[in-house]
């Protein structure tokens, strides 16, 4: 049971970016993205209108944060100095970051962006107004392939997602409201997770439990990103579920199409088409396979079955610290990549496999999380996929 990323992972990541920096003429590498900063240092923060700026040189790692983050970052063993401004806009965050960089003798930098993202109304100057800036996407690319330790965290996430999903299935019945069923399932699964892990659980959420579980039902299932309907469940409803758990910042994804009571012949037909499409996608995965080929295999099946007009999205995406990460299992992925090395599935990629069909009145989509190994795949989520395991029968 792995619940915390080992310290050596952060050391290896910083060593990798320092090696890359040493092969350039830049003085420092800079990151504004919250997830990339967490990936490199283990400092997790909520990205708001207050910029956080990480600078890495060959010998030091320093960070600029708003005053409210000082206590959270203090004592981080990978950060050599913390620079602070009071708040935005009065604290002049970019000017503070530039001062930090100049103290590091950095006049030319490689950055993930030319300034902080425009989150929550932030509007600030570009970093290139002060320094020589070129773009780099080192961490973005490093995050595609997960280490064994990262996959172990996603596997643990899938374990608790399965429990949350089981509660969803247990609590769903005619007359129940989707919102309260979802809240109850998430709460009960989170309680079990926290009771089991105790102090091994790493705090990574605010105001909620670590397990997320919920579903949409009836006509909202016809929308790939449907909203929780304000309509109680009825016999004959289709529901599309979703469950995950946060384990030291890593996530899995488990989704199922389920039926409240016995499905109709039409519902079974679309369910079986969707299930076969997901099976085709899972079987198409493997190290060295072109990313685009997985989506193409599903599209060919949909075309053979005459249902391409019912598809609304590609097969899936990589997952890890973010819910959606590249590579994307999309037919156009290869053409969009200038670097041939970015076009192939690699060991360590972890994909959601979620082809869907949407009839206009109902939707059908499973999602499973699958890790790519050196010689094949490992399905990390394990709730039943077949029809019999997705019919909700009640007294």
């Amino acid at each position: 049971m792995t619940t915390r990323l080992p310290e050596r992972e952060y050391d290896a990541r910083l060593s990798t970016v320092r090696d890359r920096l040493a092969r350039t003429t830049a003085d420092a590498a800079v990151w504004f993205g919250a997830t990339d900063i967490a990936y490199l240092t283990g400092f997790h923060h909520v990205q708001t209108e207050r910029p956080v700026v990480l600078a890495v040189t060959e010998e030091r790692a320093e960070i600029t944060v708003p005053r409210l983050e000082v206590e959270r970052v203090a004592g981080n063993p990978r950060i050599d100095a913390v620079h602070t401004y009071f708040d935005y806009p009065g604290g002049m965050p970019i000017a503070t970051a530039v001062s930090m960089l100049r103290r590091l003798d950095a006049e030319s930098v490689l950055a993930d962006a030319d300034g902080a993202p425009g989150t929550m109304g932030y509007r600030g100057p570009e970093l290139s107004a002060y320094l020589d800036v070129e773009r780099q996407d080192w961490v973005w690319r490093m995050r595609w392939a997960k280490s064994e330790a990262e996959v172990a965290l996603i596997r643990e996430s899938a374990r608790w997602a399965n429990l949350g999903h089981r509660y969803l299935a247990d609590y769903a019945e005619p007359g129940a409201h989707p919102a309260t069923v979802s809240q109850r399932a998430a709460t009960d699964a989170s309680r079990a997770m926290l009771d089991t892990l105790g102090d091994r659980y790493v705090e990574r959420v605010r105001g909620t439990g670590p397990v997320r579980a919920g579903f949409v039902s009836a006509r909202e299932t016809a929308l790939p990103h449907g909203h929780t309907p304000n309509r109680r469940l009825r016999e004959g409803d289709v529901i599309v579920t979703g469950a995950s758990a946060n384990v030291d910042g890593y996530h899995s994804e488990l989704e199922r199409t389920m039926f409240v009571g016995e499905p109709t012949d039409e519902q079974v037909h679309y369910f079986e088409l969707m299930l076969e499409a997901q099976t085709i996608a899972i079987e198409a995965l493997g190290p060295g396979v072109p990313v685009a080929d997985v989506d193409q295999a599903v599209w060919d099946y949909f075309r053979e079955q005459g249902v391409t007009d019912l598809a609304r999205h590609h097969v899936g995406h990589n997952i890890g610290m973010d819910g959606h990460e590249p590579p994307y299992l999309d037919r156009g992925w290869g053409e969009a990549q200038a670097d041939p090395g970015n076009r192939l599935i690699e060991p360590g990629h972890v994909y959601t496999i979620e082809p869907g069909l949407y009839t206009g009145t109902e939707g059908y989509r499973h999602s499973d999380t699958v890790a790519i190994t050196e010689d094949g795949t490992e399905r990390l989520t394990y709730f039943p996929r077949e029809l019999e395991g997705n019919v909700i029968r009640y007294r």
Side-chain angles (χ1 to χ4, degrees), residues 373-388:
T373 65
E374 292 290 340
D375 55 4
T377 63
E378 177 190 358
R379 183 158 69 94
L380 304 181
T381 44
Y382 50 88
F383 195 88
R385 297 172 58 236
E386 292 70 24
L387 178 64
E388 180 59 29

Side-chain angles (χ1 to χ4, degrees), residues 35-113:
T35 305
D36 286 356
I37 290 171
Y39 179 87
L40 286 175
T41 68
F43 166 52
H44 290 251
H45 71 283
V46 178
Q47 193 135 36
T48 68
E49 75 280 8
R50 307 172 177 97
V52 170
V53 188
L54 174 69
V56 176
T57 69
E58 292 184 15
E59 296 182 352
R60 295 182 65 79
E62 300 192 8
I63 198 164
T64 293
V65 299
R67 175 62 188 85
L68 60 82
E69 295 286 5
V70 170
E71 284 75 16
R72 181 173 294 280
V73 73
N76 185 302
R78 289 161 290 278
I79 295 176
D80 299 301
V82 177
H83 305 260
T84 185
Y85 61 92
F86 186 72
D87 213 324
Y88 170 78
M92 302 179 67
I94 298 303
T96 305
V98 169
S99 175
M100 168 185 72
L101 287 161
R102 285 180 171 153
R103 291 180 185 181
L104 290 168
D105 295 325
E107 291 295 336
S108 65
V109 303
L110 290 163
D112 64 340

Side-chain angles (χ1 to χ4, degrees), residues 25 30 162 203:
T25 59
V30 171
N162 193 77
E203 300 91 336

